[in-house]
Amino acid sequence: PRRPPPLLEYIRVLVFQRLGEANSAKKVVLQCRKLPWSQCERYLLRTLLKVTRGRFSHIRSVAAVVAGLQPHHPSLTIGFVDALLEDIRVGLERNALV
């Protein structure tokens, strides 16, 4: 099996493991700000969205991370909200068809 590059693995550790710890959102924001943004923005966005689909208890932490990154990387916030609203729309359409 092919392993992802270390940078992408680190993002997964930040989002899926460190974000689950108590009072960790600020630490995750600081670490995310240090990432090479041009290489990581899309992957970080997808990873944050995966958390909101699976772990309901982490939604508050994900929102805190997105809000903490907003002053430095507004495109992440815009992309996150856009993708989240699209997921909600698709979910509502699926339920309306059933």
Side-chain angles (χ1 to χ4, degrees), residues 17 23 25 33 45-46 56 58 60 64 76 84 86 90:
Q17 292 176 7
N23 301 321
R33 286 182 53 199
L45 176 61
R46 285 195 321 242
F56 186 76
H58 292 181
R60 177 178 285 180
L76 177 81
L84 195 60
E86 181 66 20
V90 168

Side-chain angles (χ1 to χ4, degrees), residues 16-30:
F16 289 114
Q17 292 176 7
R18 299 260 168 82
L19 202 53
E21 299 168 2
N23 301 321
S24 62
K26 288 182 182 179
K27 296 174 190 173
V28 172
V29 168
L30 290 175

Side-chain angles (χ1 to χ4, degrees), residues 5-20:
L7 185 60
L8 300 184
E9 275 191 45
Y10 180 65
I11 292 172
R12 290 182 62 82
V13 167
L14 280 176
V15 172
F16 289 114
Q17 292 176 7
R18 299 260 168 82
L19 202 53

